[in-house]
Amino acid sequence: MFTSSLILASLFFSTITTVKAHGYVQDVVIGTTHYTGYLPYSDPYYYPAPPARIIRKIPGNGPVTDVSLIDIQCNGYSGGGQVGSAPAPIFATVAAGSQVHLNWTTWPASHAGPVITYMARAPSDITKWNPGTAAVWFKVDQSGKTADGKWAATDLLTASNSIYTFTIPATLKAGQYIIRHEIIALHSAYVYPGAQFYPSCLQVQVTGTGTKLPTSFVSFPGAYTPSTPGVVWDLYTANKTGAYPIPGPAV
Ligand SMILES: *[C@@H]1O[C@H](CO)[C@@H](O)[C@H](O)[C@H]1NC(C)=O
Ligand SMILES: *[C@@H]1O[C@H](CO)[C@@H](O)[C@H](O)[C@H]1NC(C)=O
Ligand SMILES: [Cu+2]
């Protein structure tokens, strides 16, 4: 049962706002454990306190399009003295080498593009840590356009019931990490700004006996610029001709 009550007004609000397409991660499955995602159209309306989530707060189902803003990191708000998304109060536990399943809301067919996942190791308590503009992120997984023309989003995502699965690197050093998981929708990416970034930041504790960490890192903002290959991409012409260069560093 819920420990706090949802006020009725939110039902009205969500009816209006979910008419727009786009989306976010609504559920995370690790082993047999489900972690409900941050639900932007109901979580803010619980009284007296919102439910504890492992995903950092997002403003809604819409995208970030300015790659220079701190918003590109976790889809949190910039401004107001904030250095990024508000940390979430809890984290999931996941063994190195195991799978994380990310359950997206139904993804619009028009929003073709890659699915990309980064991680960043927290130097201290993850429920208080904000990376700011530090270069702490490394890419752990990516999926763009297959040789036969299928996009990670929407073709493959829809074929797997809106679940994207990636594996925590098996030798990764134990500790607390933010997983930054995103879809980039390319339907308006023929010009900059145009590509739509939908990042989500999950907090996890990685367990195991691994000792490895990468040696090169990127920052958000920083990893993507208007001239990064794949940030500008004409889905309607370039789409037909060739491979899509997934933005950001190598995995
Ligand atoms: C994804 O999450 C939604 C909302 O919680 C749920 O209804 C749906 O069954 C989940 N999908 C899968 C494949 O688990
Ligand atoms: C891009 O290519 C894929 C695969 O060929 C196709 O399904 C999709 O409709 C194309 N998108 C556009 C906008 O042409
Ligand atoms: Cu959209």
Side-chain angles (χ1 to χ4, degrees):
M1 290 302 295
F2 295 124
T3 52
S4 52
S5 58
L6 184 59
I7 62 170
L8 204 59
S10 71
L11 296 175
F12 175 69
F13 183 63
S14 85
T15 306
I16 295 173
T17 50
T18 52
V19 171
K20 287 190 291 178
H22 325 294
Y24 50 89
V25 175
Q26 59 185 342
D27 193 46
V28 179
V29 185
I30 297 173
T32 56
T33 307
H34 284 255
Y35 299 91
T36 302
Y38 181 84
L39 305 178
Y41 300 111
S42 51
D43 281 7
Y45 306 102
Y46 282 80
Y47 181 84
R53 308 297 192 200
I54 65 164
I55 299 189
R56 295 188 169 197
K57 180 178 178 177
I58 57 170
N61 63 8
V64 178
T65 56
D66 183 341
V67 297
S68 72
L69 297 180
I70 192 75
D71 308 35
I72 198 74
Q73 188 173 98
C74 295
N75 200 359
Y77 300 98
S78 62
Q82 275 191 250
V83 292
S85 298
I90 59 171
F91 50 85
T93 300
V94 57
S98 59
Q99 291 184 325
V100 176
H101 308 281
L102 300 132
N103 177 346
W104 282 83
T105 51
T106 304
W107 197 248
S110 61
H111 287 35
V115 182
I116 311 175
T117 306
Y118 297 81
M119 292 178 75
R121 190 167 202 275
S124 56
D125 182 357
I126 196 162
T127 65
K128 301 194 168 59
W129 183 53
N130 248 318
T133 55
V136 292
W137 302 93
F138 53 96
K139 196 185 261 180
V140 294
D141 182 86
Q142 61 183 2
S143 176
K145 190 172 73 142
T146 64
D148 62 350
K150 291 198 165 57
W151 285 97
T154 307
D155 302 311
L156 304 184
L157 194 59
T158 301
S160 60
N161 291 317
S162 296
I163 309 286
Y164 188 87
T165 298
F166 83 98
T167 301
I168 303 283
T171 56
L172 189 64
K173 185 175 180 178
Q176 295 187 333
Y177 290 82
I178 300 177
I179 297 173
R180 178 186 177 281
H181 175 74
E182 76 183 328
I183 293 177
I184 307 177
L186 299 172
H187 54 293
S188 302
Y190 50 88
V191 67
Y192 178 86
Q196 300 186 344
F197 299 81
Y198 295 86
S200 259
C201 285
L202 290 66
Q203 299 180 170
V204 297
Q205 169 91 46
V206 174
T207 60
T209 55
T211 54
K212 299 243 169 84
L213 272 181
T215 51
S216 75
F217 303 92
V218 295
S219 63
F220 282 99
Y224 302 156
T225 70
S227 58
T228 299
V231 168
V232 173
W233 172 265
D234 188 342
L235 193 60
Y236 302 91
T237 55
N239 185 38
K240 296 183 179 62
T241 54
Y244 170 73
I246 298 173
V251 171

